[in-house]
Amino acid sequence: MERITALLFLLQATVTVVNTGSHSIWTFSTFIYGQTQFPEFSILAFLDDLQVLYYDSNIKKIISRSQPSSTKGVEDIILLGANIVVEGIYGDMKNPIHDRFFGNHTEGVRVHQHLAGCVLDNDKPSPVMLWEAYDGIDAKRFDMHNYTANPLWPQLMWTTKEAELYLMELMDIYQPICIQILKYYLEKEKNIVLRKERPRVRLIQKTCRETGVVKVSCLATGFYPRHINLTMLRDDRPIPVEELIFGEVLPNRDGTYQTRRTLIISSEKAREKHRYTCSVTHLTLDNKLDINWEPGEGADVAVISSVVVVLVLLLIFAIPAFIIYKKRRRGI
């Protein structure tokens, strides 16, 4: 305990950060029961969407995924704090009590997962939050205020005393360590995680000539951070989610993100001449960005592509034919 008290004092003395909006650090831990080619235990730590730390039970040490720090002594203190967190999570997941959730696992592979982290919102820390799952099934959640356990495992239910002790451990040890590690990496990686890139938004339409069905996609790309609100409206009213195809938020090569929403419009609906709107809100936009479209406006992307292909083919074959024709006229 003296080691932890000294560490917390050092962390408080060495880590500061400016008011920077909302950011988080999360650890994703996996413990595997059974024989696989993977480590028994592994843990990854992310600052927002940037991986900063890695550990597994084969290498038995924390690996930094960020650039080397010029303040080596401070980084050593941070890694010491991270190591205490890793040891705590690994020890808890390796506890024989978890065997009971899988029963006899001498054959096959079972997976215990653990997600924990904290948030810093304009320099105001949130409580530590954690989730656990067995074979992909939610087991328990805890956020310092509420504790819920899956009724499938009644042995997960805590007594009042057990909950109080665990809460004390989170508040006195893991909460301050988590927040200070978050502040450290937020300052260290600010050029990456604090940058702001505006989304580029466009509507892409494609019509099926045979059926008249129109596919309209609202694409937002090149934005950072990854949190974005993209909605589609019909005559200024939100389109029900069951009518839309939702794309995931995916990374671009330059570290920005893209996502899309797609709507399939029947030929009958297209003849009704509704106005469709792609509406985007993002941290980088002062106001929401709206792009409108009505069936019949503009040329089809597919049609444009077809015309371009035809023109290119005509040029490829027409120019040599014209040259041959001119030579024959001259008697060459």
Side-chain angles (χ1 to χ4, degrees):
M1 191 64 187
E2 291 181 0
R3 172 190 176 212
I4 294 175
T5 303
L7 171 66
L8 293 175
F9 176 78
L10 289 171
L11 285 172
Q12 293 285 352
T14 56
V15 180
T16 58
V17 72
V18 295
N19 188 306
T20 53
S22 181
H23 297 276
S24 62
I25 194 161
W26 293 96
T27 59
F28 297 85
S29 309
T30 303
F31 191 97
I32 301 175
Y33 297 81
Q35 296 300 315
T36 72
Q37 69 271 38
F38 304 108
E40 175 187 58
F41 172 80
S42 60
I43 183 168
L44 300 91
F46 288 85
L47 168 65
D48 294 342
D49 52 3
L50 179 69
Q51 186 183 346
V52 291
L53 296 172
Y54 173 80
Y55 173 94
D56 71 49
S57 52
N58 288 348
I59 59 176
K60 292 184 172 60
K61 67 175 181 178
I62 293 178
I63 304 297
S64 176
R65 297 300 196 197
S66 61
Q67 294 297 319
S69 174
S70 58
T71 54
K72 182 64 177 174
V74 175
E75 186 163 35
D76 289 342
I77 295 171
I78 292 297
L79 291 179
L80 180 58
N83 195 66
I84 288 175
V85 174
V86 169
E87 288 176 354
I89 295 174
Y90 189 13
D92 180 64
M93 298 180 80
K94 198 172 183 178
N95 193 316
I97 191 174
H98 297 290
D99 293 0
R100 293 183 293 171
F101 303 115
F102 292 137
N104 183 5
H105 57 268
T106 55
E107 295 182 1
V109 174
R110 300 300 180 93
V111 178
H112 177 192
Q113 295 169 300
H114 182 283
L115 168 65
C118 55
V119 177
L120 195 62
D121 191 358
N122 290 320
D123 212 25
K124 295 179 181 178
S126 79
V128 167
M129 296 162 279
L130 64 89
W131 290 260
E132 288 194 63
Y134 297 96
D135 281 348
I137 302 174
D138 267 357
K140 61 181 180 182
R141 301 186 181 194
F142 194 85
D143 65 0
M144 287 194 177
H145 300 295
N146 299 297
Y147 175 78
T148 58
N150 192 321
L152 287 174
W153 296 295
Q155 61 268 46
L156 284 175
M157 294 305 299
W158 285 341
T159 64
T160 302
K161 186 64 175 178
E162 287 173 328
E164 289 176 351
L165 289 173
Y166 192 65
L167 176 60
M168 189 181 302
E169 185 178 29
L170 286 181
M171 292 183 64
D172 295 344
I173 299 176
Y174 292 109
Q175 169 78 3
I177 290 177
C178 184
I179 291 298
Q180 294 306 315
I181 291 176
L182 170 54
K183 287 182 176 181
Y184 171 78
Y185 280 107
L186 190 54
E187 176 64 25
K188 185 180 181 183
E189 304 292 350
K190 61 184 177 183
N191 290 337
I192 297 177
V193 298
L194 297 186
R195 79 186 194 278
K196 295 179 176 62
E197 303 286 349
R198 289 170 57 92
R200 302 187 300 275
V201 183
R202 59 183 177 134
L203 275 167
I204 304 171
Q205 67 170 105
K206 183 178 180 181
T207 303
C208 177
R209 288 187 171 183
E210 290 75 16
T211 63
V213 171
V214 182
K215 180 186 288 187
V216 180
S217 293
C218 176
L219 172 67
T221 187
F223 56 89
Y224 192 94
R226 74 189 305 274
H227 305 291
I228 192 169
N229 185 24
L230 191 158
T231 56
M232 294 187 74
L233 303 96
R234 182 188 293 119
D235 299 330
D236 298 325
R237 294 184 178 181
I239 297 173
V241 293
E242 57 267 19
E243 295 185 34
L244 297 173
I245 301 172
F246 285 74
E248 299 291 336
V249 178
L250 301 173
N252 294 318
R253 283 189 173 185
D254 61 359
T256 61
Y257 290 92
Q258 63 169 291
T259 189
R260 70 175 64 204
R261 302 284 184 272
T262 300
L263 175 67
I264 307 297
I265 306 172
S266 67
S267 56
E268 294 80 10
K269 202 77 173 177
R271 286 195 290 269
E272 294 177 5
K273 299 297 182 181
H274 294 285
R275 184 179 73 258
Y276 295 90
T277 304
C278 175
S279 183
V280 176
T281 56
H282 187 257
L283 180 66
T284 59
L285 301 172
D286 295 330
N287 300 298
K288 66 176 181 176
L289 176 61
D290 291 342
I291 298 179
N292 297 313
W293 172 81
E294 294 183 15
E297 285 188 353
D300 248 12
V301 173
V303 173
I304 292 173
S305 300
S306 300
V307 171
V308 170
V309 170
V310 171
L311 289 175
V312 169
L313 289 173
L314 284 173
L315 288 173
I316 290 174
F317 291 105
I319 292 175
F322 179 74
I323 293 173
I324 293 172
Y325 170 75
K326 293 292 289 183
K327 287 182 177 180
R328 285 179 178 176
R329 286 290 302 270
R330 294 173 184 172
I332 298 176

